[in-house]
């Protein structure tokens, strides 16, 4: 009896739910209608043609179903609809699934903006364009497959899709817009196909889980901030098609350890690799106009002419420490080159430098002295805005003795209150030890302070093994200007020896053979043919008469052991006490 009231209550609840279920409808295009079923939470778009483009006003979209946004769970777009309108399903916070038919050719801006419960979406092959902000702020979206029909992805298309872990960009896409994957912090890898020619500003900004990027060989430009703050990115290879790298493109990529700049690049923006503390290899392709080195763990980039002369120190250094001596091939120092190098204690500017960019030494607050070897004070570009801002002007400024008065009357240089002649001292020398992997010394050198050591002996070698050969690849750690005694150890690239396997077939009648079948190239084997009774070995099929014999396997081999039958003559005397003789014929 106690169950009856509960059963009655459930039945009544179901009845009430049915009683209050309603369906709403209207138009959403010239030949399109919409219906919304409140009970199932399903919004259905029917008819033929394009959907109306809506806007965002007073904190919500102007769609005709705006009063039911939080109740829409499923969207069904029926065949015949040719476009998804702007802001069409914006702010449908409960939307978990959507069906898009093959009749749809475009997804307009903001179509699924802020659909925070949408986990996945399948875009059909009929769609040719995904407009800006189409899936912006879809924070639960984990994956998306873009079909080969799509040629463009608009700005902010997937911005703030914080759960997006993977995305496939097809070969049909020609450009990745600004902020496209901005702060997609779960995205781990991306392959940019060869069809893409440009990567927009902030395209992958703060994609902190991104560890690898493959950039297609048609990309010509990487926009400002393109990979800014991608703290998980460890390496990137920039293809030969790229001609420009935007400002701050890889700034704060704190895990980046390897970068290669191709010879096609003609411009690198300010701060492009600013605050990249772990970089150990910053290569430039053969013939590249760029050169670089690791500077106490931070990047220092030069513009290099065809004769390999480093001529301009660019604005790509940060947090340098100790004593920095700029090579005397450098003719200019770029904007912000040493900006905020708060641990830098001294700098020597060579006589070759004729200009220094804005804020080049701004906030180098630990400088204890500055040496400028130029007879004529280097020109301070852009009126010298902030070149030495934040630097203690009471520190010694050492200049050529004959130029002291000139420095004292030149703008900004004259702000230094302690201008002194360069001391005439012998430079400190350090011992450089070159050694093999076992610590055996190959060679030692004495190198002046600030000079980059160079190994001048015979190129080191390492014996090959049965499995590997070794090719000399340089020295570890990476060679840097001498500031102390240093040891450099040989580094070899290991190459696996690929050996062929050959079949050795040995045939023969009236004998036993001691041979297997498969042997790696170069194997030395011994062949022996043991004759059966009444037979004796004559020769091998290649004419060799050695038995046993040794061969080295260099190809598939077929040999036959050839034998003669042994014949005997028996003679004897029949008389008692006679004897028998056996002779081989």
């Amino acid at each position: 009896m106690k169950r009856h009231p509960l059963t009655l209550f459930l039945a009544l609840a179901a009845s009430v739910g049915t009683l209050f279920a309603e369906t709403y409808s209207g138009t959403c295009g010239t030949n399109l209608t919409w219906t919304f079923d409140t009970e199932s939470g399903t919004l259905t778009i029917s008819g033929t043609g394009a959907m109306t483009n809506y806007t965002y006003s007073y904190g919500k979209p102007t769609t005709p179903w705006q009063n039911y946004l939080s109740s829409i769970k499923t969207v069904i777009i029926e065949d015949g609809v040719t476009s998804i309108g702007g802001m069409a399903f914006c702010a449908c916070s409960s939307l978990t699934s959507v069906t898009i038919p093959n009749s749809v050719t475009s997804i307009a801006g903001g179509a699924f903006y802020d659909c925070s419960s949408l986990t996945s979406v399948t875009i059909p092959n009929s769609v040719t364009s995904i407009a800006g902000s189409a899936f912006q702020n879809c924070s639960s979206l984990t994956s998306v497959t873009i079909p080969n029909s799509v040629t463009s992805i608009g700005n902010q298309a997937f911005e703030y899709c914080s759960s997006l872990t993977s995305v496939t960009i097809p070969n049909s896409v020609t450009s990745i817009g600004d902020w496209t994957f901005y702060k997609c912090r779960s995205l781990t890898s991306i392959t940019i196909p060869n069809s893409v020619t440009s990567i927009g500003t902030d395209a992958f900004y703060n994609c902190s889980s991104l560890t690898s990027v493959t950039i297609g060989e048609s990309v010509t430009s990487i926009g400002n901030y393109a990979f800014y703050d991608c703290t998980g990115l460890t390496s990137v290879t920039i293809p030969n098609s790229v001609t420009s790298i935007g400002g701050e493109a890889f700034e704060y990529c704190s895990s980046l350890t390897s970068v290669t700049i191709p010879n096609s690049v003609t411009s690198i923006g300010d701060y492009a690799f600013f605050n990249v503390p772990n970089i150990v290899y910053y290569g430039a392709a053969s013939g590249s106009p760029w050169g670089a080195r690791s500077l106490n763990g931070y990047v220092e980039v030069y513009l290099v002419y065809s004769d390999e002369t480093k001529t301009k120190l660019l604005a790509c250094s940060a947090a340098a420490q100790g004593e920095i001596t700029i090579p005397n091939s450098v003719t200019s120092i770029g904007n912000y080159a040493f900006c905020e190098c708060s641990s830098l204690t001294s700098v020597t500017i060579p006589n070759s430098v004729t200009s220094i960019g804005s804020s080049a030494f701004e906030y180098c607050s630990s400088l204890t002295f500055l040496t400028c070897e130029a007879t004529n004070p280097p020109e301070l570009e852009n009126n010298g805005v902030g070149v030495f801002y934040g630097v203690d002007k009471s520190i010694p400024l050492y200049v050529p003795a004959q130029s002291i008065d000139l420095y004292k009357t030149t703008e900004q240089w004259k702000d230094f209150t302690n201008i002194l002649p360069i001391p005439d001292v012998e430079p400190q020398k350090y011992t450089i030890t070159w050694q093999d992997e076992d610590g055996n010394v190959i060679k030692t050198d004495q190198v002046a302070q600030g000079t980059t050591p160079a190994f001048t002996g015979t190129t080191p070698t390492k014996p090959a093994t049965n499995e590997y050969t070794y090719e000399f690849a340089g020295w570890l750690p990476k060679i840097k200007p001498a500031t102390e005694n240093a040891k450099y150890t040989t580094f070899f690239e290991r190459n696996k020896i690929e050996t062929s396997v050959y079949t050795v077939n040995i045939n023969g009648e009236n004998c036993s053979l001691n041979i297997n079948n498969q042997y790696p190239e170069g194997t030395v084997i011994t062949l022996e043919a043991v004759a059966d009774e009444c037979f004796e070995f004559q020769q091998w099929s290649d004419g060799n008469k050695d038995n046993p014999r040794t061969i080295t396997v260099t190809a598939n081999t077929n040999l036959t052991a050839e034998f003669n039958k042994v014949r005997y003559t028996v003679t004897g005397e029949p008389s008692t006490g006679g004897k028998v003789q056996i002779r081989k014929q």
Side-chain angles (χ1 to χ4, degrees):
M1 295 295 294
K2 292 181 179 179
R3 295 181 179 177
H4 288 210
L6 176 60
T7 303
L8 177 62
F9 173 77
L10 292 175
L12 180 61
S15 175
V16 170
T18 303
L19 179 64
F20 286 97
E22 295 185 55
T23 299
Y24 299 91
S25 63
T27 61
C28 54
T30 303
N31 296 307
L32 297 184
T33 59
W34 63 275
T35 58
F36 176 60
D37 182 350
T38 59
E39 182 178 14
S40 64
T42 301
L43 174 65
T44 303
I45 310 297
S46 306
T48 58
M51 189 184 298
T52 299
N53 287 317
Y54 300 100
T55 59
Y56 198 81
S57 179
Y58 298 101
K60 61 181 178 180
T62 58
T63 53
W65 44 83
Q66 61 175 245
N67 293 329
Y68 321 113
L69 295 179
S70 62
S71 301
I72 298 173
K73 299 177 181 178
T74 303
V75 169
I76 298 174
I77 302 172
E78 295 187 345
D79 193 41
V81 177
T82 59
S83 71
I84 298 176
M87 295 289 174
F89 308 109
C90 170
C92 291
S93 58
S94 298
L95 179 64
T96 59
S97 67
V98 59
T99 301
I100 303 175
N102 283 323
S103 56
V104 171
T105 59
S106 64
I107 301 175
F112 295 93
Y113 178 88
D114 206 19
C115 291
S116 56
S117 297
L118 188 63
T119 58
S120 65
V121 62
T122 299
I123 301 172
N125 283 322
S126 55
V127 173
T128 60
S129 64
I130 300 174
S133 301
F135 295 93
Q136 184 179 355
N137 211 31
C138 290
S139 56
S140 297
L141 190 64
T142 58
S143 65
V144 62
T145 299
I146 302 170
N148 283 322
S149 55
V150 172
T151 59
S152 64
I153 303 174
N155 297 344
Q156 301 173 275
F158 298 95
E159 183 179 21
Y160 289 111
C161 290
S162 56
S163 298
L164 189 63
T165 59
S166 65
V167 61
T168 301
I169 300 176
N171 279 319
S172 54
V173 173
T174 58
S175 64
I176 297 176
D178 299 342
W179 304 286
T180 300
F181 297 99
Y182 183 96
K183 291 195 175 184
C184 291
R185 292 174 175 165
S186 298
L187 192 62
T188 57
S189 65
I190 191 76
T191 298
I192 300 169
N194 289 336
S195 57
V196 172
T197 59
S198 64
I199 300 173
T201 298
D202 293 278
F204 297 94
Y205 184 108
N206 195 220
C207 291
S208 54
S209 296
L210 194 63
T211 58
S212 64
V213 175
T214 301
I215 300 176
E217 295 181 354
S218 296
V219 173
T220 59
S221 63
I222 298 175
N224 298 336
Y225 307 95
F227 296 95
Y228 181 98
D229 202 25
C230 290
T231 54
L233 190 61
T234 58
S235 67
V236 62
T237 298
I238 300 169
N240 281 320
S241 54
V242 172
T243 59
S244 65
I245 299 173
E248 302 178 63
F250 296 93
E251 183 174 355
Y252 290 108
C253 291
S254 55
S255 298
L256 193 61
T257 59
S258 174
V259 177
T260 299
I261 301 177
N263 54 20
S264 56
V265 173
T266 58
S267 68
I268 300 177
D270 288 348
Y271 292 103
F273 297 95
F274 188 84
N275 268 326
V276 185
N278 299 313
I279 199 155
V280 294
Y281 177 70
Y282 194 115
S286 176
S288 170
W290 308 97
R293 66 180 181 183
S294 172
L295 181 65
N296 292 299
Y298 286 77
V299 181
E300 182 175 292
V301 184
Y302 299 93
L303 178 61
V304 180
Y305 283 142
S306 58
D307 61 358
E308 298 187 358
T309 301
K310 298 174 181 178
T311 61
K312 184 173 184 179
L313 181 59
L314 295 176
C316 299
S317 294
Q321 304 175 29
E323 181 173 311
I324 301 300
T325 300
I326 300 169
N328 56 17
S329 57
V330 172
T331 59
S332 64
I333 299 174
N335 300 333
Y336 304 95
F338 294 94
C339 178
E340 296 187 16
C341 291
S342 57
S343 298
L344 188 61
T345 58
S346 66
V347 175
T348 298
I349 302 171
N351 188 41
S352 56
V353 172
T354 59
S355 64
I356 300 175
S358 299
S359 302
F361 296 97
E362 184 174 346
Y363 291 116
C364 291
S365 55
S366 296
L367 277 176
T368 57
F369 69 90
L370 178 65
T371 301
C372 186
E373 298 174 344
T375 304
N376 293 315
E379 179 184 353
L380 304 182
E381 296 178 1
N382 299 321
N383 296 319
V385 175
V387 173
F388 298 108
Y389 187 84
V391 174
D392 181 2
K393 302 304 190 300
S394 67
I395 65 172
L397 169 60
Y398 295 108
V399 302
Q402 69 272 27
S403 303
I404 290 178
D405 290 340
L406 186 56
Y407 275 86
K408 286 183 175 181
T409 57
T410 302
E411 286 300 320
Q412 291 207 51
W413 293 106
K414 69 180 183 181
D415 295 339
F416 287 89
T417 60
N418 193 15
I419 302 178
L420 303 171
I422 297 174
D424 186 13
V425 295
E426 186 72 19
Q428 173 74 40
K429 288 190 176 182
Y430 297 105
T431 300
I432 305 300
T433 302
W434 311 94
Q435 62 185 21
D436 64 19
E437 294 169 324
D438 298 322
N440 300 314
V441 175
I442 300 173
K443 190 176 184 293
T444 59
D445 290 318
Q446 293 292 312
V447 177
Q449 180 176 359
T451 301
T452 302
F455 182 75
T456 57
T458 303
T459 301
T461 60
K462 183 176 180 178
T465 66
N466 290 334
E467 294 183 87
Y468 300 99
T469 60
Y470 296 90
E471 181 180 358
F472 180 67
W475 302 91
L476 293 177
K478 190 171 178 64
I479 297 172
K480 62 180 182 180
T483 57
E484 60 185 352
N485 295 334
K487 291 183 179 180
Y488 294 103
T489 303
T490 54
F491 172 67
F492 293 88
E493 288 185 352
R494 188 176 68 175
N495 302 307
K496 187 171 180 60
I497 299 174
E498 300 295 337
T499 57
S500 300
V501 176
Y502 294 109
T503 301
V504 178
N505 291 320
I506 306 298
N507 305 297
E509 296 181 358
N510 309 308
C511 69
S512 298
L513 301 172
N514 65 333
I515 189 69
N516 291 323
N517 194 251
Q518 298 285 320
Y519 293 93
E521 182 179 12
T523 303
V524 177
I525 60 175
T526 300
L527 310 179
E528 182 177 9
V530 180
D532 290 348
E533 186 177 358
C534 297
F535 290 88
E536 66 178 2
F537 175 80
Q538 180 183 10
Q539 66 177 14
W540 299 95
S541 55
D542 62 355
N544 186 286
K545 297 182 182 297
D546 296 335
N547 187 33
R549 69 178 290 192
T550 299
I551 67 170
T552 300
V553 177
T554 59
N556 293 327
T557 304
N558 288 286
L559 288 173
T560 301
E562 299 176 356
F563 297 84
N564 288 332
K565 190 171 185 180
V566 179
R567 297 178 180 275
Y568 295 89
T569 301
V570 179
T571 60
E573 299 177 5
S575 60
T576 302
K579 59 182 179 180
V580 175
Q581 294 180 338
I582 301 175
R583 295 184 178 88
K584 185 170 67 172
Q585 293 182 347

